[in-house]
Amino acid sequence: MKALSSFTLFFLLYLFSSECIAQPYVKLSFPQVSDKGLKVNNDNLITFWNTENGLPQNSVNDIVQRSEGFIFFATNDGLVRFDGVRFKDYRFQDYPEMLNNRIKDLFIDKNDIIYLVTESNSISAFRDEKFTVIAQGNYRRNFGLFSVTHDGNVYYDDEQHRLIKYSGGKRTQVSVPFNTDLAQVRKMLIRDEARMIFIRTDSTFIWDNGKLISLRTRGVPGKYSLPHTTSDDNRFLLNDGLAVYEIKSGRITLLINYDQEYGEINDVLGVGSDTWYIATGSGVLQYKNGKIISVLSTLNGLPSDVIKSLLADNNGGILLGSYDAGLIRISERVFKSLNVSHGLKNESINPVLIRKNGNLLIGTNGSGVFELKDQKLINELFPGRFVWSLLETSDNSIYAGLASNKIAVKSPSGRFHDINIPIERGITPTVTTLFEEKQGIIWIGTTIGLYKLENEKISLLPSQTGITFHIHDIRRDPSGLIWIAGQDGLIRYDGKKFRRYDKNDNEGLSYVRTIFTSGDEIWLGTYGNGLIHFKNGKFTRITHRNGLFDNSISSIHLDNQGIFWFSSNKGVFAVDKREIDNVINGKETRVSFIKFGRNDGMISRECNGGFTPSSAADKNGMLYIPTISGVVFFNPAEVKKEKLSTPVIIEGYEINNSFFNFEYQRNLELPFGNDRITFYVNSPYFNDNHNLLYKYKLEGFSDSWVWQSYMNNVISFTSLPPGKYKLHVKAYYAFRENEANETSLEITVLPPFYLTGSFIFFLIIALI
């Protein structure tokens, strides 16, 4: 054997010993998706998307949903896929088998194959990102009849008005089992060749297992429609434009008897056993127990009155296809508001308070106090006053601290009077918080310090107490200690002496807005310094660096499920207390949150703070929070924190500026030498998808999970060395990772040719 040269030996040692370090690349910038339009009322949340949000065209002619959750809808400029965040367009310029961009009807079968019917009466099928031509039509055909069965058999009429069946790539002519001229038929529905419906201009013929039934309908020609789903049950719904019939097992039942006040029926959707949504040219009607119970139109939130199609999506919403305003979604509004429409004369709200009798008091900037019972205005107090704090005392008196050196009082007998706060050092104090120490003694927090009202006498606590700053909140904890928070720190009062904590104890104590006590724990919401926890003499600060949504916290509420609810300048957000405890105890470094704002029904996401009380909960758990546009209220127990029902999909990858699609693929083999590989993931969801998270890790490279927003569906890696890897991706609702849906992909990065066994073998042979 020949001796190896020193260079050759060094080269071989380098090949076998060197490591290429791959750093994961995470694209944190959000995709370019415009904000969706939004209109709300206290019953419905109405969301809509149009050309300004990425739609190719504003006419949505039909809508279907695949089992994994993607919505597909037909427009006059192509087919569109929607996942709740992103649109993907399909046009015949890129997919010639579509034949035409003007799509009028969609059908879907049990295998998630979507069938497109174009304005020129052509038919094509869409599956696995590919289109297949079934029938090429033209505009000369009178009507163009189409029907798709649950099993995916397609029936249509040809130019000679013969009935054609397309199945398994083959076309065969089918005999109509009774004498009818297809040239006179406007619509048809075929479940199989023993069950058929043919609708003519004057009547409808039903063929049901050898029995022919004739039904004379009264609708307007051209308005006949049948459901576009291909369910395999025995139920047919027939809409003739003025009535809806159920045809089942040879029996015909009139379900909806309709007058023409709102125009002809364009589509119908059944929800439950007795509720129907009716799409018309004058909005959407809700029909129940034989009568119209509500009308939704441009008068109360819809962006268009002309609705062409309806679909109930997998997440509990109703999708509307409009004639000229794009895609619309109606869903339940959990976050509701009290504003001028409920009788409030001012929507700039400061404190809110639940009285002992359950009534709600709302303090305003310049309109005094409104009293509501069951969300209805029943009384107005202190009109024209700027109210910054509210208190109901043990004798049922109502105190309102004003934006001046006054307190407005209503006694139980109904007598009104003012209490004047002395001006100190030439400074006029503003009353920011009120606290009853015991009957007859009230503490008054102001912008210059703390006063005490006792036996109708007011005195400023001396500077020796350390309380010479702007006071925001005063609370008593379960042990009886009184806590005073303000602009320069926190003070504890044990009944004898005051103990002050400031930024020397924790840097976040420079601006405390609100106090919440729970057991032996004190929680402080600050302005700009995050959340502060105090227990056993130790302060712990949690900020956006620990995952907190907003560092400015105006109010704190802990519900019965152990979830903290915070109001802030950016909206309402919630965090699981267990996650906060893990950060405090050093087990974790970050918390996850769910956030709520305009997209969830709030008129304005900006909550007001620095006034007391800055939130209030009634005996039923309803939480009221002041905002700059009225009061938002909701029940935390009713806020959906649901388990995702849709799968996580790795849709494809991009390498060397080329995209490769593969839905549901589980293995991938890549050549060596790619600087970056980017994966695109998805999990279609249509409710508050801004509260969803992705988590991923690349097994074989790192054992650490990396999380990112659902809005960012891009995962990238750079310079992966040769080897075997497994990409794991989870999608889950914030702080419910235990219910995450997960998918994985096996990845093999092939070695370069000079690291293959055959090359090394031949190299060694060559050197011998």
Side-chain angles (χ1 to χ4, degrees):
M1 178 182 293
K2 295 181 180 178
L4 297 178
S5 68
S6 59
F7 172 80
T8 304
L9 181 60
F10 173 81
F11 177 71
L12 289 175
L13 289 173
Y14 171 79
L15 290 180
F16 287 107
S17 64
S18 65
E19 290 186 3
C20 298
I21 305 300
Q23 297 294 329
Y25 176 82
V26 181
K27 186 177 180 181
L28 294 178
S29 60
F30 291 162
Q32 296 299 312
V33 181
S34 301
D35 289 339
K36 49 197 174 185
L38 190 73
K39 293 186 178 181
V40 295
N41 55 46
N42 266 2
D43 296 318
N44 298 304
L45 180 64
I46 302 171
T47 311
F48 54 93
W49 301 263
N50 53 36
T51 52
E52 294 182 2
N53 314 116
L55 286 187
Q57 207 267 343
N58 278 338
S59 290
V60 176
N61 301 321
D62 207 356
I63 314 170
V64 295
Q65 185 170 27
R66 289 199 317 210
S67 59
E68 89 283 80
F70 287 120
I71 298 289
F72 287 81
F73 49 95
T75 76
N76 291 338
D77 193 21
L79 179 69
V80 181
R81 191 194 78 175
F82 186 43
D83 62 9
V85 176
R86 290 160 287 269
F87 296 105
K88 183 176 182 179
D89 302 337
Y90 301 86
R91 294 184 175 90
F92 89 95
Q93 289 87 345
D94 302 311
Y95 302 90
E97 293 80 5
M98 287 179 61
L99 301 176
N100 195 318
N101 280 336
R102 299 181 68 86
I103 304 170
K104 63 178 183 178
D105 289 304
L106 296 176
F107 298 82
I108 188 167
D109 68 17
K110 68 178 183 180
N111 298 312
D112 277 343
I113 300 175
I114 297 174
Y115 301 87
L116 295 72
V117 182
T118 71
E119 197 174 77
S120 62
N121 298 316
S122 297
I123 312 172
S124 58
F126 175 70
R127 184 179 189 179
D128 297 333
E129 297 296 302
K130 296 179 181 178
F131 292 86
T132 302
V133 176
I134 294 177
Q136 188 158 355
N138 59 66
Y139 289 95
R140 295 191 302 273
R141 291 173 58 188
N142 288 339
F143 304 121
L145 303 178
F146 313 97
S147 186
V148 180
T149 70
H150 188 61
D151 294 324
N153 296 322
V154 180
Y155 293 85
Y156 63 94
D157 67 328
D158 64 9
E159 291 191 19
Q160 287 75 44
H161 299 294
R162 297 173 299 185
L163 185 60
I164 306 298
K165 175 182 177 181
Y166 177 89
S167 179
K170 297 181 180 180
R171 297 170 180 82
T172 57
Q173 184 176 345
V174 176
S175 298
V176 178
F178 57 93
N179 185 23
T180 188
D181 181 5
L182 290 185
Q184 302 300 316
V185 175
R186 304 189 70 89
K187 296 280 185 179
M188 70 178 181
L189 176 62
I190 299 177
R191 291 287 165 82
D192 53 47
E193 290 170 30
R195 296 177 297 170
M196 303 180 177
I197 296 179
F198 295 92
I199 305 171
R200 295 170 41 139
T201 56
D202 56 351
S203 59
T204 296
F205 295 99
I206 304 161
W207 181 257
D208 190 357
N209 292 302
K211 182 180 179 181
L212 180 63
I213 304 169
S214 177
L215 171 68
R216 184 167 295 277
T217 50
R218 63 189 180 95
V220 179
K223 289 294 182 181
Y224 296 98
S225 65
L226 289 163
H228 290 181
T229 57
T230 57
S231 172
D232 60 351
D233 61 21
N234 292 317
R235 188 185 192 210
F236 299 80
L237 290 181
L238 170 62
N239 159 34
D240 73 355
L242 294 176
V244 177
Y245 304 87
E246 179 189 63
I247 304 168
K248 187 174 182 179
S249 301
R251 301 183 64 180
I252 301 174
T253 304
L254 179 64
L255 295 179
I256 300 175
N257 193 13
Y258 179 76
D259 59 42
Q260 299 188 51
E261 179 182 356
Y262 298 98
E264 292 85 4
I265 298 174
N266 294 328
D267 200 2
V268 291
L269 173 67
V271 178
S273 59
D274 59 356
T275 301
W276 299 87
Y277 288 89
I278 305 173
T280 75
S282 301
V284 176
L285 316 180
Q286 192 174 8
Y287 187 92
K288 187 172 183 177
N289 297 327
K291 62 181 180 180
I292 297 171
I293 62 173
S294 69
V295 180
L296 195 59
S297 68
T298 52
L299 296 177
N300 53 4
L302 285 189
S304 174
D305 282 330
V306 184
I307 306 302
K308 304 177 71 174
S309 54
L310 299 167
L311 178 76
D313 66 39
N314 292 349
N315 299 127
I318 305 295
L319 293 169
L320 318 178
S322 75
Y323 173 73
D324 56 0
L327 181 68
I328 306 166
R329 186 173 189 264
I330 303 173
S331 57
E332 180 185 4
R333 184 182 176 199
V334 177
F335 284 75
K336 301 180 181 181
S337 295
L338 298 170
N339 47 41
V340 291
S341 64
H342 300 86
L344 305 189
K345 297 177 181 178
N346 191 328
E347 293 186 346
S348 180
I349 310 301
N350 295 333
V352 290
L353 174 72
I354 299 294
R355 295 193 62 187
K356 298 172 188 176
N357 61 10
N359 291 350
L360 173 67
L361 296 182
I362 300 174
T364 70
N365 266 326
S367 298
V369 175
F370 300 106
E371 184 171 6
L372 289 83
K373 182 177 182 179
D374 299 326
Q375 286 94 47
K376 294 180 180 179
L377 181 65
I378 62 170
N379 199 7
E380 296 183 36
L381 308 173
F382 320 122
R385 314 300 285 270
F386 289 77
V387 179
W388 281 28
S389 56
L390 286 169
L391 171 69
E392 184 179 24
T393 60
S394 53
D395 67 354
N396 297 323
S397 296
I398 297 174
Y399 284 66
L402 306 181
S404 63
N405 63 323
K406 295 181 183 295
I407 300 173
V409 182
K410 179 191 176 186
S411 68
S413 64
R415 174 177 170 264
F416 290 86
H417 67 281
D418 285 356
I419 298 174
N420 293 317
I421 311 297
I423 296 175
E424 299 288 341
R425 304 184 299 275
I427 303 174
T428 301
T430 295
V431 181
T432 52
T433 186
L434 296 164
F435 172 77
E436 186 178 30
E437 181 185 3
K438 57 185 177 181
Q439 188 168 358
I441 301 178
I442 295 175
W443 291 17
I444 305 167
T446 73
T447 50
I448 64 172
L450 184 63
Y451 290 79
K452 182 178 285 191
L453 172 63
E454 185 175 5
N455 297 324
E456 299 184 358
K457 294 182 179 180
I458 295 179
S459 59
L460 178 67
L461 269 65
S463 58
Q464 290 85 344
T465 62
I467 311 173
T468 58
F469 50 82
H470 185 159
I471 305 299
H472 284 294
D473 202 1
I474 306 173
R475 301 289 176 104
R476 192 195 310 270
D477 71 18
S479 70
L481 296 175
I482 296 175
W483 298 86
I484 305 160
Q487 204 143 322
D488 287 329
L490 177 70
I491 291 178
R492 184 189 68 191
Y493 178 64
D494 62 6
K496 296 181 180 179
K497 59 182 179 179
F498 294 89
R499 165 71 162 90
R500 180 173 176 177
Y501 303 91
D502 57 24
K503 60 184 179 181
N504 293 320
D505 298 282
N506 187 281
E507 61 181 350
L509 289 174
S510 59
Y511 202 138
V512 182
R513 303 187 87 181
T514 187
I515 306 171
F516 179 82
T517 65
S518 175
D520 58 352
E521 296 178 295
I522 306 298
W523 302 86
L524 308 174
T526 72
Y527 190 80
N529 292 318
L531 176 69
I532 297 176
H533 172 263
F534 180 71
K535 182 178 180 180
N536 297 329
K538 179 184 177 182
F539 288 96
T540 304
R541 183 178 169 213
I542 300 168
T543 69
H544 64 88
R545 293 182 179 180
N546 305 108
L548 205 65
F549 174 58
D550 193 349
N551 276 345
S552 293
I553 296 175
S554 298
S555 69
I556 305 172
H557 173 76
L558 182 64
D559 70 18
N560 294 331
Q561 305 300 316
I563 305 298
F564 270 119
W565 294 85
F566 304 100
S567 65
S568 74
N569 291 343
K570 296 180 180 179
V572 175
F573 67 100
V575 181
D576 193 323
K577 184 179 184 297
R578 291 171 297 182
E579 292 195 14
I580 297 178
D581 290 341
N582 285 338
V583 172
I584 292 171
N585 296 326
K587 296 179 180 179
E588 299 287 346
T589 60
R590 296 184 65 86
V591 298
S592 58
F593 58 82
I594 53 175
K595 61 180 179 179
F596 303 94
R598 279 187 49 80
N599 289 347
D600 305 286
M602 296 179 66
I603 300 297
S604 170
R605 70 173 187 168
E606 184 176 346
C607 303
N608 272 340
F611 315 100
T612 56
S614 50
S615 67
D618 66 19
K619 63 180 180 180
N620 297 317
M622 193 70 72
L623 185 61
Y624 297 84
I625 295 174
T627 78
I628 63 172
S629 298
V631 177
V632 63
F633 66 97
F634 63 97
N635 191 330
E638 296 176 359
V639 177
K640 293 181 180 179
K641 299 178 283 292
E642 60 190 284
K643 181 178 179 180
L644 293 184
S645 58
T646 53
V648 185
I649 304 165
I650 302 176
E651 293 194 86
Y653 66 96
E654 185 177 349
I655 195 168
N656 296 331
N657 296 318
S658 297
F659 178 80
F660 302 90
N661 179 78
F662 56 84
E663 291 187 15
Y664 307 109
Q665 187 171 326
R666 290 291 176 264
N667 297 282
L668 177 63
E669 194 172 85
L670 297 172
F672 174 76
N674 298 295
D675 291 335
R676 176 181 296 175
I677 179 170
T678 299
F679 295 94
Y680 295 88
V681 298
N682 215 319
S683 187
Y685 188 68
F686 300 93
N687 286 331
D688 51 337
N689 46 36
H690 50 270
N691 286 319
L692 300 187
L693 297 174
Y694 284 127
K695 242 184 179 182
Y696 70 88
K697 72 174 179 179
L698 188 61
E699 186 180 335
F701 167 67
S702 173
D703 292 329
S704 299
W705 287 91
V706 179
W707 72 270
Q708 63 191 50
S709 166
Y710 174 83
M711 302 296 180
N712 178 20
N713 69 329
V714 177
I715 299 171
S716 294
F717 300 94
T718 58
S719 303
L720 284 177
K724 292 185 179 294
Y725 305 92
K726 191 171 186 178
L727 177 62
H728 299 267
V729 184
K730 295 179 180 180
Y732 61 98
Y733 205 93
F735 58 71
R736 292 181 67 144
E737 187 177 353
N738 61 314
E739 298 178 350
N741 289 329
E742 184 175 344
T743 192
S744 61
L745 176 68
E746 301 277 355
I747 303 171
T748 301
V749 178
L750 299 174
F753 75 95
Y754 51 80
L755 283 180
T756 61
S758 57
F759 176 81
I760 295 172
F761 174 77
F762 285 117
L763 180 61
I764 294 174
I765 294 298
L767 295 174
I768 295 176

